[in-house]
Amino acid sequence: MTTADSLKTSRRTRPSERESEGSALNVSGLRGVNQVTAAFEAQRLAFARNRVTSLEERRANLLTLQRLIERNRSLLVEAAHSDFGTRASFETELSEIVGTVSTIRFMRRRLRKWMAPRRRAASIWFKPAKNRVEPSPRGVVGVVSPWNFPVHLALIPAATALAAGNRVMLKLSEFTPATSSVIMRLVAENFDPDVFFVTDGGTDVAVAFTQLPFDHLFFTGSTEVGKTVARSAAGSLTPVTLELGGKSPVLVDHDYPIEAAATAVAWAKLYNGGQVCISPDYVLVPRGKEREFAEATIRAARTLYPTVAGNGEYTSIINQSNYDRLRGYVAAAQDASEEVLSAEDWELGRDRRQFPLTVIINPPADSRVMTEEIFGPVLPVIGYDSDDAAATTINARSIPLAFYLLAKEKRRQRAWLDRIPSGSAVVNDLMIGYLQNDLPFGGRGGSGMGAYHAREGFDTFSHLRPVVYQKPILGRTGVQMLYPPYSPVASLLLKIMRRT
C-alpha cells in the first residue's frame, strides 16, 4: 500500500493523551506564521514535561519514520517527478528512498551505544571521582531543508534530532510543493505535532521560523541564505549547523587516466541534473590536457545519456530562473569567444528545462561561472602548470564542501590532501563520501559549519554534558585536603602538583 492509512503509529510510540490534547489545541486550525509559533510553544511545553525520552521511544520514532518512507515510496517518487518536471525515478529511489532508509536504519542499530555515558579520565588529585560525558537532548530543534533532495535532506537531519531525543520542527522548501505536501500529510498522520511538526510556506514563514529561539537550528541551502539564517539565530543565541555549498573542485593529477577521470566527472556532474551541493563544480587538469578532458567528458555524457531532451532518466532543472541562470553562464562564455562544448543542442530540451552537459574551457577566474556556485550541468575545465598553481587556484576561493582528488600515487594523494582544506574529501571517486553512514558530513568556512551523519550527527543534536561523580571515603574527599586553613600537607600537595 502507498497510502498513509496503513501507517498509524502504535499507542506506545505516542506521547501521553494529555500532551497530545494540549498540542492539538495550540496548533489545530492555525496557518502560516501563527501555526509555526503555536507549534513551537507546544513543543517547548511538551519538552519541559518530558525532557529525556527513552531508547525505546526514540527507536520507535525512527521506525515510524522509516516505515512511513518505505510504504509511501511510489507516492514520494511521483511527487518529486512532479516538482522537477522530469526527475529520474532511479535517482529518486537511490537518494531519497534507499539513502534515507539506510541512514535511519543505521541510527536505530547504534542508538544504544550513542546514548550511553562516555568514560573520561579523572585527575589523580580528585580521586576517587569518576568522570563521564552524558548525551542529553537539546530540546526543540528547528530544521530548514532545501529543494534539491526534498525528502532526504529534510528527513535525515530531522531523524537525527529525533534520535537524540529532541522535539523537531521541519520547514520544507516552497519550491517542491508536491513533495512537501506529501511529507506534511504523512508526518501529521503518524506523529503528534509536539513531537514532530512539519510546515512549508514562503518567505514570511521562513523568516519567522529562523527567528524562533530554538535549542538548535539546522539549515541546508546556499551560502548567502546561510548567512541570513545565522544572523537570525544570533538574536536568540541559538546554536546553528549550516550545511551550505560552494565550489567543490576536482583535481586530476598528472598520472591519472583522462578517460577514467572524465567518466567519473560526467556521472557526478549530471546526477540530479547537477543540482547537488557536493557536485563537482570545476575541474583542474594538467596544462595541455584541457581539450582532451573536455572531449572525453562529453563522450562520457553521451554514453550515459544518448539523448537529453525528452529523456525520462535525465533530471530537469528545478525552475525557469535556475535554468536561465545556467544558460547565462554559457552565453557569457560564448560572447567572450571562450571554447564551449556541449553534449546536445540546449534548445532541444528547453521546454522541459533539461540542460545538457556543457563544458567551458579555461574561463577567466573572475567570470560568474568561476565565482558563483553553478548547481547545474555546466562544467569549467581549467589547466594548471604546476602543483603550486593548482593549489593556489583552489585555495584562493572559500573552503569547498568537498574536494575530489584523482591521483594514483599514495604519496601524491597525501601531499594534495595536506595542501587543500575542505569539508570532506574523496580520493579516486566522486560524491560517495556523503553516502558513508559512519562518516560525518559538513563544511568549513563558506561551505558551512558543524556536521551531521554518524555519531557526530547524534552529538550535534545533543548536549554532551560533563558529569563528575565523587565518592567520599570516610566522609571526606581528596580535594578537601586543599581546603583552608592551608596546612603543611596542603602546601606539600601543591608543591607536588607543580611537578606533575
Side-chain angles (χ1 to χ4, degrees):
M1 295 179 67
T2 61
T3 64
D5 292 338
S6 63
L7 285 171
K8 297 303 181 184
T9 308
S10 65
R11 296 286 295 178
R12 66 183 182 86
T13 68
R14 289 184 175 272
S16 68
E17 285 295 324
R18 186 174 177 181
E19 289 185 21
S20 298
E21 289 173 2
S23 63
L25 288 172
N26 289 331
V27 178
S28 178
L30 300 176
R31 293 292 181 269
V33 173
N34 291 335
Q35 187 186 39
V36 166
T37 304
F40 174 78
E41 293 299 332
Q43 290 204 354
R44 189 167 64 170
L45 289 172
F47 181 74
R49 288 193 294 266
N50 183 18
R51 288 185 174 273
V52 180
T53 52
S54 67
L55 171 66
E56 290 72 23
E57 288 176 298
R58 299 183 195 191
R59 280 180 168 168
N61 283 333
L62 292 178
L63 184 59
T64 296
L65 193 57
Q66 177 185 323
R67 288 175 174 170
L68 177 155
I69 297 164
E70 290 171 332
R71 297 177 183 179
N72 292 276
R73 174 180 57 86
S74 298
L75 191 61
L76 290 166
V77 170
E78 292 166 7
H81 180 79
S82 174
D83 285 327
F84 279 80
T86 300
R87 180 74 171 316
S89 60
F90 183 89
E91 293 177 5
T92 302
E93 286 267 8
L94 179 63
S95 301
E96 308 277 33
I97 309 301
V98 175
T100 306
V101 167
S102 171
T103 304
I104 293 174
R105 193 179 287 130
F106 180 88
M107 286 192 285
R108 283 179 48 230
R109 290 170 177 169
R110 286 156 181 82
L111 193 52
R112 181 188 297 275
K113 182 178 180 179
W114 292 351
M115 290 176 64
R118 306 167 194 182
R119 293 182 179 181
R120 295 294 176 89
S123 169
I124 190 172
W125 303 107
F126 304 102
K127 293 290 187 179
K130 295 181 179 180
N131 291 344
R132 299 287 186 269
V133 172
E134 300 181 354
S136 58
R138 287 183 177 270
V140 180
V141 170
V143 176
V144 181
S145 63
W147 52 263
N148 56 322
F149 290 99
V151 178
H152 184 84
L153 295 182
L155 297 185
I156 288 305
T160 311
L162 288 170
N166 299 285
R167 312 278 168 158
V168 180
M169 292 180 61
L170 170 61
K171 165 65 176 72
L172 300 170
S173 173
E174 65 271 29
F175 292 148
T176 51
T179 307
S180 295
S181 177
V182 171
I183 293 174
M184 284 192 297
R185 179 172 62 80
L186 294 177
V187 170
E189 290 174 347
N190 290 277
F191 288 91
D192 288 319
D194 59 9
V195 174
F196 187 14
F197 170 81
V198 184
T199 186
D200 55 359
T203 303
D204 59 333
V205 174
V207 170
F209 191 95
T210 57
Q211 290 176 345
L212 290 170
F214 289 111
D215 296 290
H216 195 91
L217 180 60
F218 186 99
F219 170 82
T220 304
S222 71
T223 300
E224 288 307 310
V225 178
K227 293 176 182 178
T228 301
V229 169
R231 283 192 292 268
S232 295
S236 56
L237 295 180
T238 296
V240 296
T241 298
L242 301 177
E243 295 298 336
L244 309 177
K247 301 185 74 64
S248 296
V250 180
L251 193 147
V252 182
D253 205 9
H254 62 84
D255 64 347
Y256 202 85
I258 290 295
E259 289 289 339
T263 299
V265 169
W267 166 76
K269 190 62 173 173
L270 296 177
Y271 192 86
N272 200 43
Q275 299 160 113
V276 187
C277 61
I278 53 171
S279 177
D281 200 273
Y282 62 99
V283 182
L284 293 172
V285 298
R287 181 74 66 191
K289 294 186 177 181
E290 300 97 309
R291 176 86 191 192
E292 179 186 358
F293 180 85
E295 291 176 344
T297 307
I298 292 297
R299 286 196 300 272
R302 288 171 175 163
T303 299
L304 295 170
Y305 302 97
T307 61
V308 171
N311 187 340
E313 294 185 345
Y314 194 93
T315 299
S316 298
I317 304 304
I318 186 67
N319 55 36
Q320 192 62 43
S321 64
N322 276 285
Y323 182 91
D324 293 340
R325 176 181 55 81
L326 294 171
R327 179 57 190 150
Y329 295 147
V330 178
Q334 292 171 329
D335 291 344
S337 299
E338 296 162 18
E339 195 167 7
V340 177
L341 284 71
S342 183
E344 186 174 294
D345 183 351
W346 70 274
E347 287 282 357
L348 296 176
R350 182 165 63 173
D351 290 345
R352 299 179 68 170
R353 301 188 306 280
Q354 291 176 301
F355 203 108
L357 178 66
T358 303
V359 179
I360 303 175
I361 299 177
N362 287 320
D366 60 353
S367 60
R368 284 184 61 205
V369 78
M370 287 305 298
T371 56
E372 300 176 2
E373 183 179 7
I374 294 173
F375 224 65
V378 177
L379 181 67
V381 174
I382 301 162
Y384 66 90
D385 297 304
S386 65
D387 291 0
D388 288 343
T392 298
T393 297
I394 296 173
N395 292 336
R397 294 172 171 79
S398 182
I399 296 175
L401 184 57
F403 169 50
Y404 302 116
L405 173 63
L406 305 179
K408 296 178 72 174
E409 296 180 11
K410 289 186 176 180
R411 211 172 34 168
R412 297 280 291 169
Q413 293 171 2
R414 185 71 266 158
W416 281 118
L417 290 172
D418 289 343
R419 294 191 73 174
I420 310 297
S422 62
S424 62
V426 178
V427 178
N428 293 340
D429 211 332
L430 278 80
M431 297 210 306
I432 64 169
Y434 181 87
L435 303 174
Q436 310 309 305
N437 283 333
D438 206 18
L439 283 181
F441 179 80
R444 294 178 58 187
S447 59
M449 64 176 73
Y452 72 127
H453 290 192
R455 179 171 176 165
E456 287 80 359
F458 176 87
D459 288 353
T460 289
F461 294 111
S462 300
H463 173 59
L464 302 180
R465 180 167 62 171
V467 181
V468 180
Y469 293 91
Q470 186 59 278
K471 184 178 180 181
I473 298 177
L474 299 177
R476 291 174 60 87
T477 64
V479 74
Q480 285 178 291
M481 289 187 291
L482 302 177
Y483 285 6
Y486 301 114
S487 66
V489 173
S491 297
L492 177 62
L493 288 174
L494 182 60
K495 190 174 183 179
I496 296 172
M497 285 180 178
R498 293 194 194 108
R499 298 175 181 175
T500 56

